[in-house]
Amino acid sequence: MIIDKASYDKLFATKFWSKLNESIVPFDDKPIDKDPYLDSLYNQIQNFTYLPSHPREYIVYNKHNGISRYVPTFKRKDYCVYYLCVKLLENEIAINRVEGTYGGWTLGNPIRLKEEQELLELDYIPFNTINELSWATEWRSFQGIARKFKEIDDFKYFINLDIANFYDTINLTILERKLRHIVPKNKQDVVSLLMHFLQGWNKRLEGYSSKTIGIPQDEIGDISRILANFYLQDYDKYMYEICEKYGAKFIRFADDQIIFAKSKEDARKILFEASKHLFKINLNLNSGKVKEFDSKQTFDQYWAFEIFDLLQAKEDREKINEAIRRYFELTEQNIRFRDYSVLKRLLSIDIDLISAEHKHKILSIYYNIDLLSTLDLWHFRRIRQLANNDEEFFGLLDSLIPTALFNSYHYQLLRFYTKDRDSEKTVEIRKRISEIKP
């Protein structure tokens, strides 16, 4: 038995079900009665009749510079099975997390507790920041972690790196082997059910062959992130030991990583070792995103630490406008920095505190289609407040309906218009979604 009925019912008596119904892609079926639905699914699982369905749709995001990222949206039963399996394996997946690595806290497992303790020890991030707030806040937390590690020793060389197509290239055979090695005998059936889902969810595109590479970048719950984080634990341990050898530091948030070293030579050697070890588990570094910094000043500028420090003063008009001035200064000097992170963070401040001289200039940046195609309902609402001109703002959004290539824009716009605007444009949006369907 994978799970007894009482435990099964308790597991789904959480906010997961409500989160499920917030899918960006609306479910086609009518509202359903939760308990009978989950009872039926439980019987399928126990009787070995559960089969993964084709994704309802693929959300196409603008990953970067016009490159597409495909995120499947599953049927309710598939989301539930995926959630069930990872939730049941949390305690095993959570062990052996290496110091300085973050990204496996999503479902409230023991990893989260360990991470928060380390954050307290860094004396920078409040106890409940990472797990409870939005992705923007989580990323801001990682910036704080990066800054603290930078200050530990007299580091002189820094390398930012990430893994190319991380989720898409995770080897399922290696993942299963890692899971079975660490999971006790009484949970082996859970691993079997999980692999049954992972190997069969994408048959619409892959046919009858069992999927062997890649896990879905799931839309709901960030379940895949926990598996991905677990997949890298041996790599994390290896990197920690290599960095100790060179008196360096290594931190990782999901697939984004930073090496702090005392010299360029040491940093390059560590980078070489990272690439070699990742190759052993079917992964590669994204060479286009490797960024090297030969001073603390350039590293600080890239992470925009000064700007985020200024924005911490949420009610200080002078500091907020100084942060915006600093943003434009870096942009005009063609200094590379995390500009999109800054722009998203700016939307969380009190718009009335932004000076008139800055409002129009910054609004023109938010009106850029490349940026708009990465935003969601909440961001649209905040830009609307900043614009304070519905005719102009809605006119821009409407004009992009027939030209935007990424349907994530249309799905988010559909949510925005359904909730905040009584408009017949929703018909046009749905038609465009159908036209560019993957």
Side-chain angles (χ1 to χ4, degrees):
M1 178 182 292
I2 289 177
I3 184 174
D4 64 87
K5 187 61 164 60
S7 298
Y8 174 87
D9 291 339
K10 184 177 180 180
L11 186 148
F12 283 103
T14 64
K15 62 181 180 181
F16 170 77
W17 187 260
S18 60
K19 180 70 175 177
L20 181 63
N21 291 313
E22 295 173 4
S23 172
I24 296 172
V25 180
F27 287 95
D28 294 331
D29 53 357
K30 297 178 181 178
I32 61 173
D33 193 334
K34 173 185 174 182
D35 292 337
Y37 184 88
L38 289 175
D39 289 347
S40 174
L41 178 59
Y42 179 80
N43 289 332
Q44 291 179 45
I45 294 170
Q46 295 304 116
N47 294 323
F48 308 105
T49 59
Y50 161 75
L51 292 173
S53 299
H54 292 168
R56 292 179 293 125
E57 190 54 87
Y58 293 88
I59 306 174
V60 186
Y61 288 91
N62 184 355
K63 184 177 180 180
H64 185 68
N65 291 334
I67 302 300
S68 301
R69 168 181 289 162
Y70 289 80
V71 175
T73 60
F74 300 120
K75 291 188 176 180
R76 285 187 176 91
K77 66 171 185 176
D78 299 315
Y79 279 128
C80 289
V81 167
Y82 197 20
Y83 169 77
L84 169 69
C85 291
V86 174
K87 189 69 177 172
L88 290 176
L89 298 174
E90 279 184 335
N91 290 336
E92 287 72 30
I93 292 175
I95 70 171
N96 297 327
R97 192 182 62 82
V98 174
E99 174 189 344
T101 61
Y102 303 86
W105 71 87
T106 309
L107 300 184
N109 59 32
I111 286 184
R112 176 190 171 200
L113 301 178
K114 294 176 184 177
E115 287 177 352
E116 290 172 337
Q117 182 59 40
E118 287 181 11
L119 293 171
L120 282 173
E121 291 169 359
L122 289 174
D123 194 28
Y124 190 80
I125 307 298
F127 181 81
N128 63 350
T129 298
I130 286 186
N131 196 53
E132 299 299 326
L133 301 182
S134 65
W135 167 254
T137 302
E138 293 169 6
W139 192 252
R140 189 165 72 251
S141 300
F142 183 58
Q143 290 178 324
I145 297 163
R147 168 182 266 176
K148 281 294 181 178
F149 272 92
K150 181 201 68 174
E151 298 295 344
I152 290 175
D153 288 309
D154 188 22
F155 295 122
K156 294 181 173 61
Y157 208 83
F158 315 90
I159 299 183
N160 275 59
L161 55 147
D162 75 2
I163 299 169
N165 303 314
F166 180 29
Y167 285 30
D168 293 336
T169 52
I170 287 177
N171 185 296
L172 296 184
T173 301
I174 296 174
L175 175 61
E176 181 176 7
R177 185 174 69 239
K178 287 176 177 287
L179 287 169
R180 292 201 183 279
H181 177 72
I182 205 167
V183 168
K185 184 177 180 179
N186 66 332
K187 289 189 177 182
Q188 290 294 323
D189 282 348
V190 179
V191 177
S192 296
L193 177 59
L194 173 62
M195 299 313 298
H196 177 64
F197 166 75
L198 290 176
Q199 292 168 351
W201 67 265
N202 203 28
K203 290 192 180 300
R204 175 194 289 181
L205 300 182
E206 301 193 17
Y208 287 111
S209 300
S210 293
K211 188 175 180 63
T212 59
I213 301 293
I215 63 175
Q217 299 198 39
D218 56 304
E219 175 210 2
I220 295 174
D222 267 348
I223 304 168
S224 289
R225 186 181 299 172
I226 294 180
L227 283 179
N229 195 70
F230 169 74
Y231 190 78
L232 288 178
Q233 284 184 352
D234 290 338
Y235 166 75
D236 293 336
K237 182 180 178 181
Y238 181 81
M239 288 296 291
Y240 180 85
E241 293 171 350
I242 288 294
C243 286
E244 285 287 294
K245 175 182 175 181
Y246 288 98
K249 289 289 183 181
F250 164 77
I251 62 173
R252 178 178 65 78
F253 181 101
D255 60 333
D256 289 280
Q257 306 164 59
I258 307 176
I259 296 169
F260 305 82
K262 295 180 179 180
S263 70
K264 178 178 181 179
E265 181 182 15
D266 289 350
R268 287 287 184 87
K269 287 178 180 178
I270 295 169
L271 182 64
F272 177 80
E273 293 295 333
S275 181
K276 182 173 68 174
H277 196 81
L278 285 172
F279 177 74
K280 295 178 181 179
I281 54 173
N282 202 59
L283 301 177
N284 293 284
L285 293 175
N286 187 336
S287 60
K289 289 189 176 181
V290 173
K291 297 179 175 63
E292 301 184 52
F293 308 93
D294 59 5
S295 71
K296 289 187 177 184
Q297 179 183 2
T298 54
F299 183 78
D300 286 351
Q301 287 177 336
Y302 176 76
W303 283 96
F305 286 138
E306 179 185 358
I307 294 176
F308 284 105
D309 280 349
L310 291 167
L311 293 176
Q312 289 292 327
K314 297 181 180 181
E315 299 179 0
D316 191 317
R317 181 186 300 271
E318 184 176 340
K319 288 186 176 180
I320 286 172
N321 285 283
E322 174 61 20
I324 297 173
R325 186 197 66 77
R326 182 60 179 152
Y327 166 83
F328 286 121
E329 182 179 280
L330 292 175
T331 302
E332 290 163 3
Q333 294 176 2
N334 292 319
I335 294 175
R336 58 180 181 177
F337 70 106
R338 291 188 173 274
D339 53 338
Y340 273 22
S341 295
V342 173
L343 289 170
K344 291 179 180 181
R345 175 70 177 86
L346 283 172
L347 288 175
S348 70
I349 67 175
D350 185 347
I351 290 170
D352 291 335
L353 296 179
I354 301 176
S355 66
E357 65 176 305
H358 287 145
K359 274 189 177 179
H360 180 74
K361 191 175 180 181
I362 201 167
L363 187 61
S364 66
I365 297 174
Y366 288 123
Y367 279 4
N368 180 280
I369 178 56
D370 286 335
L371 177 59
L372 285 173
S373 65
T374 69
L375 304 182
D376 59 22
L377 168 66
W378 183 86
H379 294 118
F380 285 153
R381 286 174 169 172
R382 296 295 290 172
I383 296 174
R384 181 187 183 187
Q385 287 183 279
L386 179 64
N388 196 28
N389 184 331
D390 279 358
E391 182 178 357
E392 177 186 76
F393 184 48
F394 286 138
L396 169 66
L397 297 180
D398 290 348
S399 71
L400 296 175
I401 295 172
T403 59
L405 298 176
F406 302 95
N407 68 16
S408 61
Y409 170 77
H410 300 90
Y411 278 120
Q412 293 290 356
L413 188 64
L414 184 61
R415 294 177 72 209
F416 180 44
Y417 279 12
T418 300
K419 294 176 181 291
D420 292 45
R421 184 189 185 194
D422 182 14
S423 171
E424 295 181 356
K425 284 291 180 180
T426 55
V427 175
E428 183 181 342
I429 295 171
R430 289 189 175 93
K431 180 181 178 182
R432 178 60 176 164
I433 288 173
S434 178
E435 289 174 349
I436 59 176
K437 186 175 181 179

